[in-house]
């Protein structure tokens, strides 16, 4: 197609394979178009709605595919400029995420929110899959229940109650492909009042909620989201990460948890609890889910994307009773997004205890990695501060004022992939800016971790007072 048509972001020719998953077909087509050079760096892609209509596929399918390709580095997404083809082999000081020249993959990848891919429990997964498929009833291989498989919903009800304090039963659990799909359901439930979001969060999550209009930014501080700010807004739904605010790492203070529930009751509102990494707390007992404070006002979201792998597209929604029928109506008459075998396999892992064993092993591994990073910083870059290191898969490293872009540029030149804190900031955020980078200590492989930490602290040491910076 003509280049000016591509740059318009509205016309895009893609040939999707007729068989298999539509999401997988769209992902393959976009990777081919970018990898072959047919879509050049910087070209704007069509909005979710437009491409979904052109290809006659679900809008959520396009949104999830875009998000996946952003995480893989094929695309980039910025507030106000849409989704574009990434500049995968150039360095620009103004880019909020460090870009690694000249190779397509960085030498050391510290981008946040990525579990250690090498630790995926292949043996346990295969064994569980064999047991689950072998014992599955015949109806498991017919049309799917829109709630998801009952085996998984029963297993999740017990697991979430035991490990996260969630109050639920299998009927109020809906299986989904993850946060992006759940967010799409919520936008269809609420089409008028704006969504309230924390002032720091994932931009591509924010864009899902912006499908219904502008979102409201709620400040965050060392005690989490500032709930009292909601009273002066027209919002009726607030999306929170109360166990471990992403990306700053602050848990929501107990008084603010109570205030959030009180706000929802007073305004006939809803609290959406994104418990994305609740299993990974290192310095004290895990912070329980706030859903138990009021199961009728808190909708709970979780997935295995951090505990196991984002490649296993299995997540869950624990919905208030009054939202059961509306969610069921949105999902449709059958499950069409999460494979039955994956659902049965995860249920078997949970029931057998293999899932708990895996989580405990990963918690221990990530704690060791976090401690190694902390020791290296204390020894070689003591002027660098830390936030959010008591839990999760990443640390926030605070930098000397005015150095965030410089650190991202130097890291990119050293083959280190990082993300700057400002990339996660809501464009309407009122809080003061902080120069910082996010370090996903879960992402590098075991064999490269020490070398990755040494390379990182060597870059950070250059920002010490009195040191010359390029």
């Amino acid at each position: 197609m003509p280049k000016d048509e591509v740059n318009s972001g509205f016309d895009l020719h893609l040939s999707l394979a007729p068989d298999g998953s539509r999401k997988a077909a769209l992902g393959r087509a976009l990777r081919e178009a970018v990898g072959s050079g047919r879509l050049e760096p910087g070209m704007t892609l069509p909005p979710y709605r437009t491409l979904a209509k052109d290809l006659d596929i679900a809008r959520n399918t396009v949104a999830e595919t875009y998000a996946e390709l952003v995480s893989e580095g094929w695309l980039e997404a910025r507030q106000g400029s849409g989704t574009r083809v990434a500049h995968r082999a150039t360095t620009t000081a103004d880019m909020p995420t460090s870009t690694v020249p000249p190779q397509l993959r960085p030498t050391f990848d510290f981008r946040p929110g990525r579990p250690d891919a090498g630790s995926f429990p292949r043996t346990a997964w295969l064994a569980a899959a064999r047991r689950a498929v072998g014992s599955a009833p015949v109806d498991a291989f017919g049309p799917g229940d829109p709630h998801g498989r009952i085996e998984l919903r029963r297993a999740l009800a017990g697991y979430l109650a035991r490990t996260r304090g969630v109050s639920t039963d299998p009927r109020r659990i809906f299986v989904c492909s993850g946060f992006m799909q759940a967010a799409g359901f919520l936008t269809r439930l609420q089409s008028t009042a704006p969504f309230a979001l924390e002032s720091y969060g994932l931009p591509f999550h924010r864009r899902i909620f912006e499908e219904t209009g502008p979102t409201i930014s709620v400040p965050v501080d060392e005690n989490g989201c500032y709930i009292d700010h909601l009273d002066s807004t027209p919002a009726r739904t607030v999306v929170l990460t109360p166990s471990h605010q992403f990306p700053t790492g602050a848990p929501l203070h107990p008084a603010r948890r109570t205030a959030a529930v009180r706000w929802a009751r007073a305004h006939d509102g809803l609290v959406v609890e994104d418990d994305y990494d609740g299993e990974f707390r290192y310095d004290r007992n895990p912070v329980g889910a706030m859903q138990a404070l009021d199961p009728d006002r808190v909708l709970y979201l979780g997935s295995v994307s951090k505990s196991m792998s984002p490649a296993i597209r299995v997540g869950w929604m624990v919905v208030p009773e009054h939202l059961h029928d509306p969610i069921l109506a949105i999902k449709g008459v059958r499950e069409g997004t999460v494979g039955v075998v994956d659902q049965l396999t995860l249920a078997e892992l949970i029931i057998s205890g293999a899932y708990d064993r895996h989580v405990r092993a990963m918690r221990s591994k990530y704690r060791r990695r976090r401690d190694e990073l902390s020791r290296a910083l204390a020894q070689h870059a003591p002027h660098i501060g830390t936030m959010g290191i008591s839990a999760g898969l990443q640390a926030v490293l605070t930098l000397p004022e005015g150095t965030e872009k410089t650190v991202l540029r130097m890291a990119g030149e050293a083959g280190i992939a990082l993300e700057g804190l400002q990339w996660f900031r809501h464009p309407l955020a009122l809080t003061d800016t902080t120069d910082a980078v996010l370090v996903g200590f879960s992402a590098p492989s075991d064999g490269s971790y020490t070398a990755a930490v040494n390379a990182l602290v060597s870059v950070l040491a250059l920002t010490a007072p009195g040191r010359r910076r390029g």
Side-chain angles (χ1 to χ4, degrees), residues 81-101:
S81 60
T83 303
R84 299 174 181 270
V85 178
H87 294 266
R88 293 166 62 84
T90 60
T91 299
T92 303
D94 291 334
M95 291 182 66
T97 302
S98 58
T99 306
V100 183

Side-chain angles (χ1 to χ4, degrees), residues 232-274:
S232 61
T233 74
R236 291 297 176 266
T237 301
V238 59
V239 183
L240 302 176
T241 50
S243 294
H244 187 228
Q245 201 284 322
F246 185 86
T248 65
L252 189 62
H253 190 278
R256 293 189 180 181
R257 289 181 168 222
T258 302
V261 170
R262 188 169 57 244
W263 168 85
R265 291 170 179 167
H267 294 84
D268 191 25
L270 179 69
V271 176
V272 177
E273 177 178 12
D274 179 10

